[in-house]
Amino acid sequence: MSAHELVLVLDLGAQYTQLIARRVREERVYCEVHPCTISLDEIRAKKPAGLILSGGPGSVYTDRAPTVDPGVFTLGVPVLGICYGQQLMTSALGGEVASSDVREFGHADLTVNAPSPLTEGLPDAFRVWMSHGDKVEKLAPGFVPLASTPDCPLAIVGDTERRLYGLQFHPEVTHSDHGAGLFRNFLRGICGLTGDWEMATFVEEAIAQIREQVGDGRVICGLSGGVDSSVVALLVHRAIGDRLQCIFVDNGLLRKDEVRMVDETFRRHYKIPLTTVRAADRFLTALAGETDPETKRKTIGHIFIDVFREEAERVEGAKFLAQGTLYPDVIESVSAFGGPTAVIKSHHNVGGLPEQLGFDLVEPLRFLFKDEVREVGRVLGLPEQFVMRQPFPGPGLAVRIPTAITADDVAILQDADAILREEIEAAGLERVYWQYFAVLLPVRSVGVMGDNRTYEQAVGLRLIESTDGMTADWGYPPRDVLRKISNRIINEVRGVNRVVLDISSKPPATIEWE
Ligand code: XMP
């Protein structure tokens, strides 16, 4: 990717570091996140047009506080320090940082006191979001105050000559007004970047890279129907055509019509070589009678690997495995104190494939964020229903039937879930929810249908509002939409006589039931 304009985000342990990278990408500038311990030589070799120092929970005056090579301030490259990054820059260049009397957390009213390229075109006053205990007490030589809040006289500081700027607040969070404007001014006005990072260009480059890596070899790709593996399959197919072999494992725990839809889209429409392995029996047999959630998950994981491996071994001469690893899984995490932990989270998109399968990995999405993957999907012409796919757990419907699984119960849940999805989409609410799905409850209750007493199962509706799946609130669609869903499920799905709404947030509940 080195042909692009590049900005480096140096991670000093902030929870918002990835958000900074996403804001930069939104300005169509390619950026990479690196631990703050990256050497000056490595930085130089990457020829960045700008550097951003993230925030972090440390204090610059304590031992083992995360730091950067002070040489970054004399590279002649513009630097933007955010919160802790600003304090670090100040302290490294001869200013002073101290614990502040008032710990500022939340909104603050910012007033711009002096014009600068950083606030060019922005209003004279706007709201920003603060979260800090320390603050800059004395500016480093060459710096001047540019903006203040009532509790923080040095909320923006800068040395225009050396193109070094610092913000005490967090422009990367949406609670700060004009965050995008500040990033744009830094990237365009100060770093002189044009913003040439586009998904269409990414696609061309990714295709060239896949061709180079794979040569005339064959590639296997585990397709799950999710957006990441779908985009990987399309990209690799564009690159090497029928030397790609996709494998889709039907574990019998997928949503209604999923198998047909994936087959139609990828095999028939895109003409991508695709083997669908019908392994429902194998999974259901192994799960029979099992009620423990963790055992269920592990059983499904192990069988998935076995099935996948058996199928992969049939693909003659395949040396490569394409995976939909994304950037958040690749970025090394930095611990709050004492520097980077150098732990790289390993991500396995398709239910969890082990490293030992013995393939070389092809991971064309490893520098992208999820929203960028969706964009690539659109550039490649992937239908919107795949591009905007809800997250779906690897163990599938097994974690939505909180008891031992039977084929009959899976069929009941598939039907109820399909109705819920149809009605949410018919009401135009599909973008409101992060996820919307049904669960089948392991209880029977008494009902009456016509003149007959019934004694049947209950379906729970799970509608989730969330931005990242880490925390979540329950959704409450209009009463008539709920009524329609409930009526249709009870009337159309044999074996169900009751529908309930799950009104549990995460935490303390989780999104899935197991
Ligand atoms: P929980 O239930 O932990 O779910 O609140 C958080 C998000 O993760 C999804 N999920 C999974 N995704 N494999 C996946 O790929 C899994 O095993 C898995 N379990 C949960 C869940 O749907 C929600 O979006």
Side-chain angles (χ1 to χ4, degrees):
M1 309 275 154
S2 51
H4 287 286
E5 298 179 330
L6 170 71
V7 164
L8 296 183
V9 179
L10 305 189
D11 182 15
L12 292 150
Q15 64 193 109
Y16 299 126
T17 306
Q18 285 193 29
L19 217 45
I20 297 175
R22 294 182 58 161
R23 295 291 165 261
V24 174
R25 297 265 182 106
E26 278 164 16
E27 297 303 321
R28 300 202 174 277
V29 172
Y30 180 68
C31 68
E32 290 177 4
V33 179
H34 290 276
C36 53
T37 46
I38 184 175
S39 74
L40 201 56
D41 284 343
E42 281 174 275
I43 294 177
R44 268 202 207 97
K46 287 180 174 290
K47 300 194 174 63
L51 295 170
I52 300 180
L53 309 184
S54 82
S59 283
V60 291
Y61 46 77
T62 57
D63 287 347
R64 298 174 67 222
T67 188
V68 293
D69 188 317
V72 300
F73 303 114
T74 48
L75 283 174
V77 171
V79 181
L80 179 67
I82 294 175
C83 197
Y84 180 82
Q86 176 202 18
Q87 295 157 10
L88 183 66
M89 178 160 61
T90 301
S91 134
L93 294 174
E96 276 170 31
V97 175
S99 166
S100 92
D101 305 335
V102 188
R103 198 178 164 274
E104 264 192 301
F105 184 84
H107 281 116
D109 293 312
L110 182 96
T111 307
V112 176
N113 309 117
S116 79
L118 196 57
T119 51
E120 175 80 34
L122 303 184
D124 292 338
F126 52 95
R127 275 199 335 168
V128 297
W129 198 79
M130 293 277 192
S131 172
H132 67 111
D134 293 349
K135 69 178 175 190
V136 171
E137 285 287 310
K138 190 168 143 258
L139 287 177
F143 280 78
V144 293
L146 297 172
S148 59
T149 71
D151 287 317
C152 181
L154 301 173
I156 304 182
V157 301
D159 177 336
T160 317
E161 188 91 352
R162 287 187 287 174
R163 299 187 297 173
L164 306 176
Y165 293 87
L167 307 174
Q168 183 54 74
F169 56 91
H170 290 273
E172 70 275 23
V173 302
T174 49
H175 315 298
S176 282
D177 292 343
H178 302 290
L182 288 161
F183 278 112
R184 193 170 310 133
N185 282 342
F186 178 69
L187 298 167
R188 305 269 171 119
I190 296 166
C191 300
L193 297 168
T194 54
D196 64 355
W197 166 247
E198 278 179 17
M199 288 307 123
T201 339
F202 168 84
V203 166
E204 282 166 32
E205 289 174 2
I207 287 172
Q209 255 173 27
I210 294 167
R211 285 187 183 140
E212 193 184 316
Q213 184 190 356
V214 170
D216 56 9
R218 288 188 81 184
V219 180
I220 289 174
C221 174
L223 201 58
S224 71
V227 58
D228 306 338
S229 67
S230 301
V231 169
V232 167
L234 281 186
L235 260 181
V236 176
H237 191 246
R238 285 262 176 110
I240 61 164
D242 290 355
R243 282 185 287 123
L244 167 69
Q245 175 65 50
C246 286
I247 298 174
F248 178 43
V249 177
D250 173 9
N251 59 9
L253 300 162
L254 302 169
R255 283 167 289 192
K256 190 173 180 172
D257 285 337
E258 184 106 16
V259 178
R260 190 182 50 78
M261 206 171 80
V262 168
D263 186 74
E264 247 165 42
T265 306
F266 292 91
R267 201 170 59 82
R268 287 173 194 265
H269 177 69
Y270 288 114
K271 312 250 181 293
I272 295 178
L274 167 66
T275 307
T276 300
V277 191
R278 308 266 175 186
D281 282 350
R282 211 161 145 182
F283 282 87
L284 291 178
T285 305
L287 287 169
E290 186 55 63
T291 55
D292 178 64
E294 273 314 295
T295 312
K296 280 165 73 181
R297 277 179 172 268
K298 288 202 180 109
T299 304
I300 294 166
H302 290 144
I303 298 184
F304 178 85
I305 291 164
D306 289 347
V307 171
F308 191 88
R309 178 181 298 166
E310 286 164 23
E311 199 55 43
E313 278 166 5
R314 280 178 230 239
V315 184
E316 234 166 89
K319 240 185 85 196
F320 298 92
L321 178 69
Q323 291 210 132
T325 312
L326 304 193
Y327 200 36
D329 307 306
V330 174
I331 297 175
E332 292 179 34
S333 51
V334 172
S335 69
F337 300 96
T341 55
V343 172
I344 300 176
K345 284 181 262 163
S346 49
H347 173 82
H348 304 291
N349 218 26
V350 191
L353 288 171
E355 317 274 328
Q356 325 73 282
L357 277 184
F359 292 103
D360 288 344
L361 295 182
V362 177
E363 299 178 307
L365 310 181
R366 60 184 283 112
F367 291 107
L368 301 188
F369 290 106
K370 191 88 178 184
D371 42 354
E372 294 173 319
V373 174
R374 295 192 206 282
E375 203 49 47
V376 171
R378 290 196 181 97
V379 169
L380 291 169
L382 188 67
E384 203 59 20
Q385 77 205 86
F386 282 95
V387 168
M388 290 312 290
R389 206 84 158 130
Q390 312 186 36
F392 187 68
L397 299 182
V399 294
R400 296 177 180 175
I401 304 177
T403 184
I405 313 284
T406 65
D408 287 347
D409 279 353
V410 172
I412 290 175
L413 180 55
Q414 282 175 331
D415 286 343
D417 183 69
I419 291 172
L420 166 67
R421 282 190 287 142
E422 263 172 51
E423 292 302 330
I424 290 295
E425 283 150 31
L429 295 172
E430 67 272 25
R431 295 286 157 84
V432 173
Y433 303 114
W434 165 263
Q435 272 170 300
Y436 45 99
F437 59 85
V439 292
L440 186 65
L441 306 183
V443 289
R444 271 164 214 278
S445 69
V446 174
V448 54
M449 232 175 214
D451 292 332
N452 294 322
R453 175 186 186 273
T454 58
Y455 187 54
E456 294 179 329
Q457 307 205 71
V459 160
L461 309 180
R462 192 81 172 120
L463 298 128
I464 293 295
E465 290 179 13
S466 178
T467 48
D468 53 11
M470 305 291 283
T471 61
D473 202 359
W474 47 277
Y476 193 25
R479 208 182 152 100
D480 55 334
V481 176
L482 284 174
R483 191 196 315 276
K484 188 139 188 229
I485 294 169
S486 162
N487 284 348
R488 280 196 58 197
I489 290 177
I490 292 171
N491 288 331
E492 295 173 31
V493 183
R494 189 96 63 88
V496 175
N497 67 354
R498 196 174 291 269
V499 172
V500 298
L501 180 65
D502 181 348
I503 54 168
S504 328
S505 62
K506 173 184 178 176
T510 51
I511 293 176
E512 303 291 348
W513 272 50
E514 284 189 341

